[in-house]
Each structure stands twice: as C-alpha cells, then as structure tokens.
Amino acid sequence: MRLRKLLRKIHRWVGLLSALWLLQLATTGLLLQHADTLKLTSSFVKSPTILQWFDYGHRQQAWDVAGEVVYQIDDEVKINKAIINIAEPLVGAVKLNKQWVLATSNQLRWINPKGE
C-alpha cells in the first residue's frame, strides 16, 4: 500500500508540472500564431536589459518626433514599418512633412514614407 500511495503522489506532481508546461506551450503558440491580429509585431522592445540579454542591440537609440518614433538598433533604423540599413550611428532625426531626414556624422539621408 505504501508503494501505491507514493506512486500516486509522484504521478500527481508529474501531471501538474506537465500540465503547466503544456499550458505555457499552448499560450505562447497561440500568441505567435495570432501576433499580427493582436498587434504584437508592431511593438518594440524598449528595455536595454532585455535586448542585451538576447545579445541584440549593442547600439540603441530612439527619437520621438510628432508622435512617430525612429529606432536605431545596431545597423537597422526602423521608421514605422520600414527598415533602413545604416552602418553608422545616427546623430539626429527630423520629420519634414511626410519625409524624414536622418543624420549621421558623415551624411544626411532623405527617407520617404515608403522607407526609400
């Protein structure tokens, strides 16, 4: 009898831990499957600690101009949904009408709403 009680306790705890793992797996899978619907792809990670934890974002900058945000993470500059590759760090960003002017130490870049 003692062995049967011990096996039931072990079975209960293994079952509970497995259920928690399966619940976490199902939840994250659902979030990944519906990321666009839930607008999870339009938000950016702002925490430098989290970005460095995943070894991403050694150079991070952001500008908030007229309610729109320009992010530079490493060599990528993100304006709305457009991604522009710039190897140098940005010094500043200015929005003129619907276009952006991005400044590095060596050059100025005009960016249209399509990211070109």
Side-chain angles (χ1 to χ4, degrees), residues 37-108:
T37 307
L38 298 172
K39 298 181 182 174
L40 298 175
T41 57
S42 63
S43 61
F44 296 100
V45 176
K46 297 178 183 175
S47 170
T49 306
I50 292 174
L51 290 171
Q52 289 172 359
W53 189 24
F54 288 101
D55 196 31
Y56 184 73
H58 297 285
R59 181 174 62 223
Q60 307 162 26
Q61 301 181 60
W63 288 270
D64 186 1
V65 179
E68 291 187 53
V69 181
V70 176
Y71 293 97
Q72 182 179 24
I73 300 174
D74 293 335
D75 291 343
E76 291 183 346
V77 175
K78 297 177 183 177
I79 302 173
N80 297 329
K81 293 183 180 181
I83 298 175
I84 301 116
N85 287 321
I86 298 177
E88 300 177 63
L90 290 179
V91 177
V94 178
K95 184 175 181 184
L96 302 172
N97 294 326
K98 294 183 180 182
Q99 296 184 350
W100 286 89
V101 178
L102 303 178
T104 65
S105 59
N106 295 328
Q107 61 183 337
L108 290 174

